[in-house]
Amino acid sequence: MFLLNAQARRLFLHRHALAEPPTGPASGPALAVLVDRLGFVQVDSINTVERAHHMILWSRRQSYKPADLHRLIEQDRTLWEHWTHDAAILPTALHGHWHHRFASDAIRLRTHWANWFRPGYEALLEQTLRRIEAEGPLTTADVGAGEARGSGGWWDWHPSKTALEWLWRTGQLAITRREGFRKVYDLTERVIPEAQRAPKGDRAHMIHWACFAALDRLGFADAGELRAFWHLITPQEAKHWAQATLKQGEIALVEIEGADGRRKQTLARPNVVQAAAEAPEPPPRRIRILSPFDPALRDRARAEFLFGFRYRIEVFVPEAKRQYGYYVFPVLEGSHLIGRVDVKAFRDQSTLRLRAFWPEKGVALTAARLQQLDAELDRLVTFAGCDRVERADDWQRATLA
């Protein structure tokens, strides 16, 4: 089986909810369904325009409001926060699979005990758990007042912060809400509904679920990409699953054409060619500004292969060495990634500032394209809680340089 690059991109974008117009309901059950369709949305603290999890959902449903996500997490409890490759918001229905993650994290982190704990830290685990049981939800500020940070610990946390994170990573605590961006921890049984807390099968069952759940959300993937999606299983487990499932005929080999014409052999459901043919064509002129942590871009190598778009975060690159900027947003037009834009919200001035737009090679800034970019910036202004866009005087010269 073989998919042309255009077919592969169309299927991939459809599975990532980027092939349909970004309209429709964006709250309550409809929002929960969208998160489940993606699998998870990454949580990130950078707030240049809006935090990553909110940008991801807004790119797909532009009536989305952050309060609707908070309601699903904090009141309805249909979503929860834990760890995939990074902190993420996931459907609560997946909690039963995460028991394996809790157990493996406890073992893995104990093997690196010195990086998490120093003398006296272990005694804090039970103490912290009992305090939250008695007092209710607490933050690191509540439990760590007056504590000195250690030297050499993970992120150099103070002891109680380390205890909270350990208890969260191993499933004994859950995040009941965030205040600003600060986590508020509570006992898991007071956050996750009882029906969702029961383990969902043994490890073999979880591996089978994790691989198929990842494959269905990606459209096609090799064993490494399947493993990396949830970060629940080991590379060897993914490889063995792929070999066994291929033999059983539940998945098939398919060649995918990359943006530069190279071909890559990967895995897919046997009906992948039909699925690609039935996937909708993204609105060809619709421009969307995406989060750098968008699920469609999280795997940088995959995005580069499919779209010919090389993206790297330059937050930690010294300013003088940056190619583009501190935190620039990829720009999607139809089924093509056409460039990146440097924008930042200054809410105290109710202004969204546009510094520059860098088009990809061969992308012309036609009047029609600029009009579509302006329309997306107007939508972004509203989402960012601002009133106007302010453009740098030389922003177009910067884009054409």
Short mmCIF file of all heavy atoms in Angstrom, two decimals, residues 252-290:
data_model
loop_
_atom_site.label_atom_id
_atom_site.label_comp_id
_atom_site.label_asym_id
_atom_site.label_seq_id
_atom_site.Cartn_x
_atom_site.Cartn_y
_atom_site.Cartn_z
N ALA A 252 -1.19 -3.25 8.87
CA ALA A 252 -0.51 -3.54 7.61
C ALA A 252 0.64 -2.55 7.40
O ALA A 252 0.69 -1.49 8.04
CB ALA A 252 -1.50 -3.43 6.45
N LEU A 253 1.56 -2.90 6.52
CA LEU A 253 2.63 -1.99 6.14
C LEU A 253 2.13 -1.06 5.04
O LEU A 253 1.42 -1.47 4.12
CB LEU A 253 3.84 -2.77 5.64
CG LEU A 253 4.57 -3.63 6.68
CD1 LEU A 253 5.65 -4.47 5.99
CD2 LEU A 253 5.20 -2.76 7.76
N VAL A 254 2.50 0.20 5.15
CA VAL A 254 2.12 1.17 4.13
C VAL A 254 3.30 2.11 3.91
O VAL A 254 4.01 2.47 4.84
CB VAL A 254 0.86 1.98 4.55
CG1 VAL A 254 1.08 2.71 5.86
CG2 VAL A 254 0.44 2.95 3.45
N GLU A 255 3.53 2.48 2.65
CA GLU A 255 4.57 3.45 2.32
C GLU A 255 3.95 4.84 2.26
O GLU A 255 2.91 5.04 1.63
CB GLU A 255 5.23 3.12 0.98
CG GLU A 255 6.35 2.11 1.09
CD GLU A 255 7.24 2.14 -0.14
OE1 GLU A 255 6.75 2.47 -1.23
OE2 GLU A 255 8.44 1.81 0.00
N ILE A 256 4.60 5.78 2.94
CA ILE A 256 4.14 7.16 2.96
C ILE A 256 5.15 8.02 2.21
O ILE A 256 6.35 7.93 2.46
CB ILE A 256 4.01 7.67 4.41
CG1 ILE A 256 3.12 6.74 5.25
CG2 ILE A 256 3.49 9.10 4.45
CD1 ILE A 256 1.69 6.70 4.83
N GLU A 257 4.65 8.85 1.32
CA GLU A 257 5.52 9.79 0.61
C GLU A 257 5.71 11.04 1.44
O GLU A 257 4.74 11.64 1.93
CB GLU A 257 4.92 10.16 -0.75
CG GLU A 257 5.81 11.09 -1.56
CD GLU A 257 5.15 11.54 -2.84
OE1 GLU A 257 3.92 11.78 -2.83
OE2 GLU A 257 5.86 11.64 -3.86
N GLY A 258 6.96 11.45 1.61
CA GLY A 258 7.25 12.68 2.33
C GLY A 258 7.14 13.90 1.45
O GLY A 258 6.94 13.80 0.23
N ALA A 259 7.28 15.07 2.06
CA ALA A 259 7.15 16.32 1.32
C ALA A 259 8.21 16.46 0.23
O ALA A 259 7.99 17.12 -0.79
CB ALA A 259 7.24 17.50 2.29
N ASP A 260 9.38 15.83 0.43
CA ASP A 260 10.46 15.93 -0.55
C ASP A 260 10.50 14.74 -1.50
O ASP A 260 11.46 14.59 -2.27
CB ASP A 260 11.80 16.09 0.16
CG ASP A 260 12.15 14.89 1.04
OD1 ASP A 260 11.33 13.95 1.12
OD2 ASP A 260 13.22 14.91 1.67
N GLY A 261 9.47 13.89 -1.45
CA GLY A 261 9.41 12.74 -2.36
C GLY A 261 9.99 11.46 -1.80
O GLY A 261 9.79 10.39 -2.37
N ARG A 262 10.72 11.55 -0.68
CA ARG A 262 11.24 10.34 -0.05
C ARG A 262 10.07 9.48 0.46
O ARG A 262 9.00 10.01 0.79
CB ARG A 262 12.16 10.68 1.12
CG ARG A 262 13.49 11.24 0.73
CD ARG A 262 14.36 11.52 1.96
NE ARG A 262 13.74 12.52 2.83
CZ ARG A 262 13.46 12.33 4.11
NH1 ARG A 262 13.70 11.15 4.67
NH2 ARG A 262 12.93 13.30 4.84
N ARG A 263 10.29 8.19 0.53
CA ARG A 263 9.26 7.28 1.02
C ARG A 263 9.69 6.65 2.34
O ARG A 263 10.87 6.40 2.55
CB ARG A 263 8.97 6.18 0.00
CG ARG A 263 8.35 6.71 -1.29
CD ARG A 263 7.93 5.57 -2.19
NE ARG A 263 7.29 6.05 -3.41
CZ ARG A 263 6.63 5.25 -4.25
NH1 ARG A 263 6.53 3.95 -4.01
NH2 ARG A 263 6.07 5.75 -5.33
N LYS A 264 8.71 6.42 3.18
CA LYS A 264 8.96 5.81 4.48
C LYS A 264 7.95 4.69 4.70
O LYS A 264 6.75 4.89 4.49
CB LYS A 264 8.83 6.86 5.59
CG LYS A 264 8.96 6.32 6.99
CD LYS A 264 8.73 7.44 8.02
CE LYS A 264 8.74 6.89 9.44
NZ LYS A 264 8.51 7.95 10.44
N GLN A 265 8.43 3.53 5.12
CA GLN A 265 7.52 2.43 5.43
C GLN A 265 7.06 2.54 6.88
O GLN A 265 7.87 2.74 7.78
CB GLN A 265 8.20 1.08 5.20
CG GLN A 265 7.24 -0.10 5.27
CD GLN A 265 7.92 -1.41 4.95
OE1 GLN A 265 8.71 -1.92 5.74
NE2 GLN A 265 7.64 -1.95 3.77
N THR A 266 5.77 2.41 7.07
CA THR A 266 5.22 2.56 8.40
C THR A 266 4.02 1.63 8.58
O THR A 266 3.77 0.77 7.73
CB THR A 266 4.84 4.05 8.64
OG1 THR A 266 4.46 4.24 9.99
CG2 THR A 266 3.74 4.50 7.72
N LEU A 267 3.29 1.79 9.67
CA LEU A 267 2.18 0.90 10.01
C LEU A 267 0.86 1.65 9.96
O LEU A 267 0.81 2.85 10.22
CB LEU A 267 2.38 0.33 11.42
CG LEU A 267 3.72 -0.34 11.71
CD1 LEU A 267 3.90 -0.56 13.20
CD2 LEU A 267 3.81 -1.66 10.95
N ALA A 268 -0.20 0.92 9.63
CA ALA A 268 -1.52 1.53 9.58
C ALA A 268 -2.58 0.44 9.68
O ALA A 268 -2.29 -0.76 9.57
CB ALA A 268 -1.70 2.32 8.28
N ARG A 269 -3.81 0.86 9.87
CA ARG A 269 -4.92 -0.07 9.76
C ARG A 269 -5.00 -0.54 8.30
O ARG A 269 -4.63 0.19 7.38
CB ARG A 269 -6.23 0.64 10.13
CG ARG A 269 -6.36 1.04 11.59
CD ARG A 269 -6.83 -0.11 12.44
NE ARG A 269 -7.25 0.34 13.77
CZ ARG A 269 -7.80 -0.44 14.69
NH1 ARG A 269 -7.98 -1.73 14.43
NH2 ARG A 269 -8.15 0.04 15.87
N PRO A 270 -5.51 -1.75 8.06
CA PRO A 270 -5.56 -2.26 6.68
C PRO A 270 -6.38 -1.39 5.73
O PRO A 270 -6.15 -1.43 4.51
CB PRO A 270 -6.20 -3.64 6.85
CG PRO A 270 -5.81 -4.06 8.24
CD PRO A 270 -5.86 -2.80 9.04
N ASN A 271 -7.30 -0.58 6.27
CA ASN A 271 -8.15 0.25 5.40
C ASN A 271 -7.61 1.66 5.25
O ASN A 271 -8.36 2.59 4.91
CB ASN A 271 -9.57 0.31 5.96
CG ASN A 271 -9.65 1.08 7.28
OD1 ASN A 271 -8.63 1.27 7.94
ND2 ASN A 271 -10.83 1.52 7.65
N VAL A 272 -6.29 1.88 5.45
CA VAL A 272 -5.75 3.23 5.48
C VAL A 272 -5.92 3.96 4.15
O VAL A 272 -6.17 5.18 4.13
CB VAL A 272 -4.27 3.21 5.90
CG1 VAL A 272 -3.40 2.49 4.87
CG2 VAL A 272 -3.76 4.61 6.15
N VAL A 273 -5.82 3.25 3.02
CA VAL A 273 -5.96 3.92 1.72
C VAL A 273 -7.38 4.45 1.56
O VAL A 273 -7.59 5.61 1.13
CB VAL A 273 -5.60 2.96 0.57
CG1 VAL A 273 -5.90 3.60 -0.78
CG2 VAL A 273 -4.12 2.57 0.64
N GLN A 274 -8.36 3.67 1.94
CA GLN A 274 -9.75 4.13 1.89
C GLN A 274 -9.97 5.28 2.86
O GLN A 274 -10.65 6.26 2.53
CB GLN A 274 -10.69 2.98 2.22
CG GLN A 274 -12.16 3.37 2.19
CD GLN A 274 -13.08 2.22 2.57
OE1 GLN A 274 -12.65 1.08 2.70
NE2 GLN A 274 -14.36 2.52 2.77
N ALA A 275 -9.40 5.17 4.06
CA ALA A 275 -9.55 6.23 5.06
C ALA A 275 -8.97 7.54 4.55
O ALA A 275 -9.55 8.62 4.74
CB ALA A 275 -8.89 5.82 6.36
N ALA A 276 -7.82 7.46 3.87
CA ALA A 276 -7.21 8.67 3.32
C ALA A 276 -8.06 9.27 2.21
O ALA A 276 -8.20 10.49 2.09
CB ALA A 276 -5.81 8.36 2.81
N ALA A 277 -8.65 8.40 1.38
CA ALA A 277 -9.52 8.88 0.29
C ALA A 277 -10.77 9.57 0.82
O ALA A 277 -11.28 10.51 0.20
CB ALA A 277 -9.90 7.71 -0.61
N GLU A 278 -11.25 9.10 1.96
CA GLU A 278 -12.48 9.65 2.54
C GLU A 278 -12.23 10.85 3.44
O GLU A 278 -13.16 11.55 3.82
CB GLU A 278 -13.20 8.56 3.34
CG GLU A 278 -13.72 7.42 2.46
CD GLU A 278 -14.30 6.28 3.27
OE1 GLU A 278 -14.15 6.30 4.52
OE2 GLU A 278 -14.89 5.35 2.66
N ALA A 279 -10.98 11.10 3.79
CA ALA A 279 -10.67 12.24 4.66
C ALA A 279 -10.97 13.54 3.94
O ALA A 279 -10.66 13.69 2.75
CB ALA A 279 -9.20 12.20 5.08
N PRO A 280 -11.56 14.50 4.62
CA PRO A 280 -11.92 15.76 3.95
C PRO A 280 -10.69 16.59 3.60
O PRO A 280 -9.66 16.50 4.27
CB PRO A 280 -12.78 16.47 5.00
CG PRO A 280 -12.33 15.91 6.31
CD PRO A 280 -11.97 14.47 6.03
N GLU A 281 -10.81 17.36 2.57
CA GLU A 281 -9.76 18.29 2.18
C GLU A 281 -9.88 19.53 3.05
O GLU A 281 -10.95 20.13 3.13
CB GLU A 281 -9.91 18.68 0.71
CG GLU A 281 -8.77 19.51 0.16
CD GLU A 281 -7.50 18.72 -0.02
OE1 GLU A 281 -7.56 17.58 -0.51
OE2 GLU A 281 -6.43 19.25 0.36
N PRO A 282 -8.82 19.95 3.74
CA PRO A 282 -8.91 21.16 4.56
C PRO A 282 -9.29 22.37 3.72
O PRO A 282 -8.92 22.45 2.54
CB PRO A 282 -7.50 21.32 5.14
CG PRO A 282 -6.92 19.94 5.07
CD PRO A 282 -7.50 19.32 3.84
N PRO A 283 -10.06 23.31 4.29
CA PRO A 283 -10.38 24.53 3.54
C PRO A 283 -9.10 25.15 2.99
O PRO A 283 -8.20 25.50 3.76
CB PRO A 283 -11.03 25.43 4.60
CG PRO A 283 -11.58 24.48 5.62
CD PRO A 283 -10.61 23.32 5.65
N PRO A 284 -8.96 25.27 1.67
CA PRO A 284 -7.65 25.56 1.07
C PRO A 284 -7.05 26.91 1.44
O PRO A 284 -5.83 27.05 1.48
CB PRO A 284 -7.92 25.47 -0.44
CG PRO A 284 -9.40 25.67 -0.58
CD PRO A 284 -10.00 25.08 0.65
N ARG A 285 -7.88 27.89 1.70
CA ARG A 285 -7.33 29.22 1.99
C ARG A 285 -7.40 29.60 3.46
O ARG A 285 -6.92 30.67 3.83
CB ARG A 285 -8.07 30.27 1.15
CG ARG A 285 -7.82 30.13 -0.34
CD ARG A 285 -8.42 31.28 -1.11
NE ARG A 285 -8.17 31.17 -2.54
CZ ARG A 285 -8.59 32.05 -3.45
NH1 ARG A 285 -9.29 33.10 -3.07
NH2 ARG A 285 -8.33 31.87 -4.72
N ARG A 286 -8.00 28.76 4.27
CA ARG A 286 -8.15 29.08 5.69
C ARG A 286 -6.79 29.02 6.38
O ARG A 286 -6.08 28.02 6.31
CB ARG A 286 -9.11 28.10 6.36
CG ARG A 286 -9.32 28.36 7.85
CD ARG A 286 -10.05 29.69 8.06
NE ARG A 286 -10.17 30.02 9.46
CZ ARG A 286 -11.33 30.16 10.11
NH1 ARG A 286 -12.47 29.97 9.46
NH2 ARG A 286 -11.37 30.49 11.37
N ILE A 287 -6.42 30.10 7.01
CA ILE A 287 -5.17 30.16 7.76
C ILE A 287 -5.47 29.96 9.24
O ILE A 287 -6.43 30.50 9.77
CB ILE A 287 -4.45 31.50 7.52
CG1 ILE A 287 -3.74 31.46 6.14
CG2 ILE A 287 -3.45 31.82 8.62
CD1 ILE A 287 -2.98 32.70 5.79
N ARG A 288 -4.63 29.15 9.88
CA ARG A 288 -4.73 28.94 11.33
C ARG A 288 -3.35 29.17 11.95
O ARG A 288 -2.34 28.70 11.43
CB ARG A 288 -5.17 27.51 11.66
CG ARG A 288 -6.45 27.09 11.01
CD ARG A 288 -6.80 25.69 11.50
NE ARG A 288 -7.60 24.97 10.54
CZ ARG A 288 -8.68 24.27 10.82
NH1 ARG A 288 -9.10 24.20 12.06
NH2 ARG A 288 -9.34 23.63 9.89
N ILE A 289 -3.34 29.86 13.06
CA ILE A 289 -2.13 30.03 13.85
C ILE A 289 -2.14 28.95 14.91
O ILE A 289 -3.07 28.84 15.71
CB ILE A 289 -2.07 31.45 14.46
CG1 ILE A 289 -1.95 32.49 13.34
CG2 ILE A 289 -0.90 31.56 15.44
CD1 ILE A 289 -2.04 33.93 13.82
N LEU A 290 -1.09 28.12 14.93
CA LEU A 290 -1.03 26.97 15.80
C LEU A 290 -0.07 27.19 16.97
O LEU A 290 0.88 27.97 16.87
CB LEU A 290 -0.55 25.73 15.03
CG LEU A 290 -1.35 25.33 13.78
CD1 LEU A 290 -0.72 24.10 13.14
CD2 LEU A 290 -2.81 25.07 14.12
#
